[in-house]
mmCIF file of all heavy atoms in Angstrom:
data_model
loop_
_atom_site.group_PDB
_atom_site.id
_atom_site.type_symbol
_atom_site.label_atom_id
_atom_site.label_comp_id
_atom_site.label_asym_id
_atom_site.label_seq_id
_atom_site.Cartn_x
_atom_site.Cartn_y
_atom_site.Cartn_z
ATOM 1 N N SER A 67 278.503 92.808 67.533
ATOM 2 C CA SER A 67 279.196 91.594 67.971
ATOM 3 C C SER A 67 278.243 90.526 68.489
ATOM 4 O O SER A 67 278.568 89.341 68.475
ATOM 5 C CB SER A 67 280.218 91.941 69.059
ATOM 6 O OG SER A 67 279.571 92.548 70.173
ATOM 7 N N GLU A 68 277.068 90.914 68.953
ATOM 8 C CA GLU A 68 276.178 89.963 69.596
ATOM 9 C C GLU A 68 275.001 89.582 68.705
ATOM 10 O O GLU A 68 274.495 90.391 67.927
ATOM 11 C CB GLU A 68 275.647 90.542 70.913
ATOM 12 C CG GLU A 68 276.743 90.804 71.942
ATOM 13 C CD GLU A 68 276.173 91.348 73.237
ATOM 14 O OE1 GLU A 68 274.952 91.601 73.290
ATOM 15 O OE2 GLU A 68 276.949 91.509 74.186
ATOM 16 N N THR A 69 274.572 88.339 68.842
ATOM 17 C CA THR A 69 273.361 87.888 68.162
ATOM 18 C C THR A 69 272.154 88.250 69.016
ATOM 19 O O THR A 69 272.286 88.560 70.207
ATOM 20 C CB THR A 69 273.405 86.369 67.938
ATOM 21 O OG1 THR A 69 273.585 85.715 69.198
ATOM 22 C CG2 THR A 69 274.559 86.003 67.026
ATOM 23 N N LEU A 70 270.973 88.214 68.426
ATOM 24 C CA LEU A 70 269.767 88.551 69.176
ATOM 25 C C LEU A 70 269.466 87.467 70.213
ATOM 26 O O LEU A 70 269.770 86.291 70.022
ATOM 27 C CB LEU A 70 268.575 88.702 68.234
ATOM 28 C CG LEU A 70 268.666 89.804 67.177
ATOM 29 C CD1 LEU A 70 267.330 89.938 66.453
ATOM 30 C CD2 LEU A 70 269.081 91.126 67.782
ATOM 31 N N SER A 71 268.840 87.864 71.294
ATOM 32 C CA SER A 71 268.511 86.931 72.364
ATOM 33 C C SER A 71 267.402 85.971 71.928
ATOM 34 O O SER A 71 266.396 86.403 71.355
ATOM 35 C CB SER A 71 268.052 87.688 73.607
ATOM 36 O OG SER A 71 267.523 86.798 74.565
ATOM 37 N N PRO A 72 267.549 84.681 72.197
ATOM 38 C CA PRO A 72 266.505 83.723 71.821
ATOM 39 C C PRO A 72 265.202 83.944 72.584
ATOM 40 O O PRO A 72 264.140 83.515 72.133
ATOM 41 C CB PRO A 72 267.126 82.367 72.169
ATOM 42 C CG PRO A 72 268.183 82.671 73.169
ATOM 43 C CD PRO A 72 268.719 84.010 72.806
ATOM 44 N N THR A 73 265.266 84.621 73.721
ATOM 45 C CA THR A 73 264.068 84.820 74.538
ATOM 46 C C THR A 73 263.054 85.762 73.899
ATOM 47 O O THR A 73 261.904 85.809 74.329
ATOM 48 C CB THR A 73 264.451 85.356 75.926
ATOM 49 O OG1 THR A 73 265.126 86.616 75.777
ATOM 50 C CG2 THR A 73 265.376 84.387 76.645
ATOM 51 N N GLN A 74 263.470 86.500 72.883
ATOM 52 C CA GLN A 74 262.533 87.433 72.264
ATOM 53 C C GLN A 74 261.689 86.785 71.171
ATOM 54 O O GLN A 74 260.839 87.441 70.566
ATOM 55 C CB GLN A 74 263.286 88.636 71.703
ATOM 56 C CG GLN A 74 264.105 88.367 70.451
ATOM 57 C CD GLN A 74 264.824 89.616 69.970
ATOM 58 O OE1 GLN A 74 265.799 90.066 70.570
ATOM 59 N NE2 GLN A 74 264.330 90.200 68.899
ATOM 60 N N PHE A 75 261.902 85.498 70.935
ATOM 61 C CA PHE A 75 261.150 84.789 69.909
ATOM 62 C C PHE A 75 260.242 83.741 70.536
ATOM 63 O O PHE A 75 260.694 82.907 71.328
ATOM 64 C CB PHE A 75 262.108 84.123 68.919
ATOM 65 C CG PHE A 75 263.013 85.097 68.217
ATOM 66 C CD1 PHE A 75 264.326 85.255 68.636
ATOM 67 C CD2 PHE A 75 262.550 85.877 67.167
ATOM 68 C CE1 PHE A 75 265.170 86.157 68.012
ATOM 69 C CE2 PHE A 75 263.388 86.787 66.533
ATOM 70 C CZ PHE A 75 264.695 86.928 66.966
ATOM 71 N N ALA A 76 258.964 83.783 70.172
ATOM 72 C CA ALA A 76 257.986 82.876 70.760
ATOM 73 C C ALA A 76 257.971 81.512 70.076
ATOM 74 O O ALA A 76 257.691 80.489 70.707
ATOM 75 C CB ALA A 76 256.589 83.505 70.687
ATOM 76 N N GLU A 77 258.258 81.479 68.769
ATOM 77 C CA GLU A 77 258.214 80.222 68.027
ATOM 78 C C GLU A 77 259.405 79.348 68.411
ATOM 79 O O GLU A 77 260.545 79.787 68.416
ATOM 80 C CB GLU A 77 258.242 80.522 66.524
ATOM 81 C CG GLU A 77 257.642 79.422 65.665
ATOM 82 C CD GLU A 77 258.628 78.287 65.436
ATOM 83 O OE1 GLU A 77 259.795 78.563 65.140
ATOM 84 O OE2 GLU A 77 258.218 77.123 65.562
ATOM 85 N N GLY A 78 259.137 78.106 68.766
ATOM 86 C CA GLY A 78 260.154 77.226 69.335
ATOM 87 C C GLY A 78 261.374 77.013 68.478
ATOM 88 O O GLY A 78 262.512 77.095 68.956
ATOM 89 N N ARG A 79 261.181 76.722 67.190
ATOM 90 C CA ARG A 79 262.330 76.448 66.329
ATOM 91 C C ARG A 79 263.201 77.687 66.153
ATOM 92 O O ARG A 79 264.431 77.602 66.130
ATOM 93 C CB ARG A 79 261.853 75.953 64.963
ATOM 94 C CG ARG A 79 263.001 75.481 64.089
ATOM 95 C CD ARG A 79 262.571 75.106 62.689
ATOM 96 N NE ARG A 79 263.695 74.603 61.920
ATOM 97 C CZ ARG A 79 263.698 74.446 60.601
ATOM 98 N NH1 ARG A 79 262.591 74.735 59.909
ATOM 99 N NH2 ARG A 79 264.775 74.009 59.985
ATOM 100 N N VAL A 80 262.565 78.827 66.026
ATOM 101 C CA VAL A 80 263.308 80.076 65.868
ATOM 102 C C VAL A 80 264.128 80.376 67.123
ATOM 103 O O VAL A 80 265.325 80.692 67.052
ATOM 104 C CB VAL A 80 262.353 81.245 65.562
ATOM 105 C CG1 VAL A 80 263.102 82.573 65.565
ATOM 106 C CG2 VAL A 80 261.667 81.030 64.214
ATOM 107 N N ALA A 81 263.494 80.264 68.283
ATOM 108 C CA ALA A 81 264.199 80.515 69.547
ATOM 109 C C ALA A 81 265.381 79.561 69.707
ATOM 110 O O ALA A 81 266.460 79.958 70.168
ATOM 111 C CB ALA A 81 263.240 80.371 70.720
ATOM 112 N N ASN A 82 265.191 78.313 69.312
ATOM 113 C CA ASN A 82 266.271 77.333 69.440
ATOM 114 C C ASN A 82 267.446 77.691 68.539
ATOM 115 O O ASN A 82 268.608 77.552 68.933
ATOM 116 C CB ASN A 82 265.749 75.943 69.077
ATOM 117 C CG ASN A 82 266.826 74.879 69.211
ATOM 118 O OD1 ASN A 82 267.380 74.668 70.293
ATOM 119 N ND2 ASN A 82 267.139 74.201 68.127
ATOM 120 N N ALA A 83 267.161 78.162 67.326
ATOM 121 C CA ALA A 83 268.236 78.530 66.400
ATOM 122 C C ALA A 83 269.026 79.724 66.925
ATOM 123 O O ALA A 83 270.255 79.755 66.830
ATOM 124 C CB ALA A 83 267.656 78.838 65.028
ATOM 125 N N TYR A 84 268.323 80.696 67.500
ATOM 126 C CA TYR A 84 269.032 81.841 68.070
ATOM 127 C C TYR A 84 269.827 81.432 69.312
ATOM 128 O O TYR A 84 270.856 82.033 69.624
ATOM 129 C CB TYR A 84 268.056 82.978 68.376
ATOM 130 C CG TYR A 84 267.757 83.829 67.154
ATOM 131 C CD1 TYR A 84 266.744 83.474 66.267
ATOM 132 C CD2 TYR A 84 268.501 84.964 66.875
ATOM 133 C CE1 TYR A 84 266.473 84.228 65.141
ATOM 134 C CE2 TYR A 84 268.237 85.739 65.756
ATOM 135 C CZ TYR A 84 267.228 85.357 64.885
ATOM 136 O OH TYR A 84 266.978 86.113 63.767
ATOM 137 N N ARG A 85 269.355 80.416 70.016
ATOM 138 C CA ARG A 85 270.142 79.864 71.138
ATOM 139 C C ARG A 85 271.444 79.266 70.621
ATOM 140 O O ARG A 85 272.513 79.480 71.203
ATOM 141 C CB ARG A 85 269.338 78.774 71.861
ATOM 142 C CG ARG A 85 270.161 78.034 72.930
ATOM 143 C CD ARG A 85 269.502 76.738 73.356
ATOM 144 N NE ARG A 85 269.324 75.788 72.254
ATOM 145 C CZ ARG A 85 270.307 75.031 71.765
ATOM 146 N NH1 ARG A 85 271.548 75.119 72.253
ATOM 147 N NH2 ARG A 85 270.060 74.188 70.774
ATOM 148 N N ILE A 86 271.368 78.539 69.518
ATOM 149 C CA ILE A 86 272.559 77.946 68.918
ATOM 150 C C ILE A 86 273.562 79.040 68.556
ATOM 151 O O ILE A 86 274.761 78.941 68.835
ATOM 152 C CB ILE A 86 272.185 77.129 67.667
ATOM 153 C CG1 ILE A 86 271.320 75.927 68.053
ATOM 154 C CG2 ILE A 86 273.443 76.667 66.927
ATOM 155 C CD1 ILE A 86 270.729 75.199 66.853
ATOM 156 N N ALA A 87 273.055 80.101 67.930
ATOM 157 C CA ALA A 87 273.937 81.197 67.520
ATOM 158 C C ALA A 87 274.607 81.853 68.722
ATOM 159 O O ALA A 87 275.787 82.214 68.673
ATOM 160 C CB ALA A 87 273.140 82.235 66.733
ATOM 161 N N ALA A 88 273.860 81.994 69.818
ATOM 162 C CA ALA A 88 274.420 82.618 71.014
ATOM 163 C C ALA A 88 275.458 81.727 71.680
ATOM 164 O O ALA A 88 276.443 82.222 72.249
ATOM 165 C CB ALA A 88 273.296 82.942 71.999
ATOM 166 N N GLN A 89 275.277 80.423 71.601
ATOM 167 C CA GLN A 89 276.168 79.493 72.282
ATOM 168 C C GLN A 89 277.394 79.105 71.464
ATOM 169 O O GLN A 89 278.426 78.758 72.027
ATOM 170 C CB GLN A 89 275.396 78.227 72.680
ATOM 171 C CG GLN A 89 274.352 78.468 73.765
ATOM 172 C CD GLN A 89 273.609 77.201 74.139
ATOM 173 O OE1 GLN A 89 273.730 76.163 73.483
ATOM 174 N NE2 GLN A 89 272.810 77.276 75.205
ATOM 175 N N MET A 90 277.291 79.147 70.133
ATOM 176 C CA MET A 90 278.435 78.756 69.316
ATOM 177 C C MET A 90 278.643 79.726 68.137
ATOM 178 O O MET A 90 278.616 79.331 66.970
ATOM 179 C CB MET A 90 278.290 77.315 68.808
ATOM 180 C CG MET A 90 276.931 76.982 68.254
ATOM 181 S SD MET A 90 276.710 75.220 67.722
ATOM 182 C CE MET A 90 278.049 74.346 68.441
ATOM 183 N N PRO A 91 278.844 81.016 68.443
ATOM 184 C CA PRO A 91 278.997 82.005 67.365
ATOM 185 C C PRO A 91 280.206 81.743 66.473
ATOM 186 O O PRO A 91 280.147 81.956 65.265
ATOM 187 C CB PRO A 91 279.135 83.331 68.115
ATOM 188 C CG PRO A 91 279.617 82.946 69.483
ATOM 189 C CD PRO A 91 278.940 81.649 69.776
ATOM 190 N N ARG A 92 281.321 81.301 67.054
ATOM 191 C CA ARG A 92 282.527 81.063 66.245
ATOM 192 C C ARG A 92 282.318 79.936 65.251
ATOM 193 O O ARG A 92 282.937 79.916 64.189
ATOM 194 C CB ARG A 92 283.718 80.764 67.147
ATOM 195 C CG ARG A 92 284.099 81.871 68.115
ATOM 196 C CD ARG A 92 284.736 83.071 67.428
ATOM 197 N NE ARG A 92 283.791 83.917 66.697
ATOM 198 C CZ ARG A 92 283.021 84.842 67.262
ATOM 199 N NH1 ARG A 92 283.070 85.023 68.576
ATOM 200 N NH2 ARG A 92 282.204 85.570 66.543
#
């Protein structure tokens, strides 16, 4: 049910994309 945490990615663009997924999964 959960996406991966953005904090585990060092590259900025990748971390930002995972943040988007965590904040707006629907």
Side-chain angles (χ1 to χ4, degrees):
S67 59
E68 297 181 355
T69 57
L70 298 188
S71 170
T73 60
Q74 72 180 73
F75 300 101
E77 204 279 315
R79 187 185 183 194
V80 173
N82 181 60
Y84 277 87
R85 173 196 60 78
I86 295 171
Q89 292 180 350
M90 46 183 15
R92 299 288 75 81

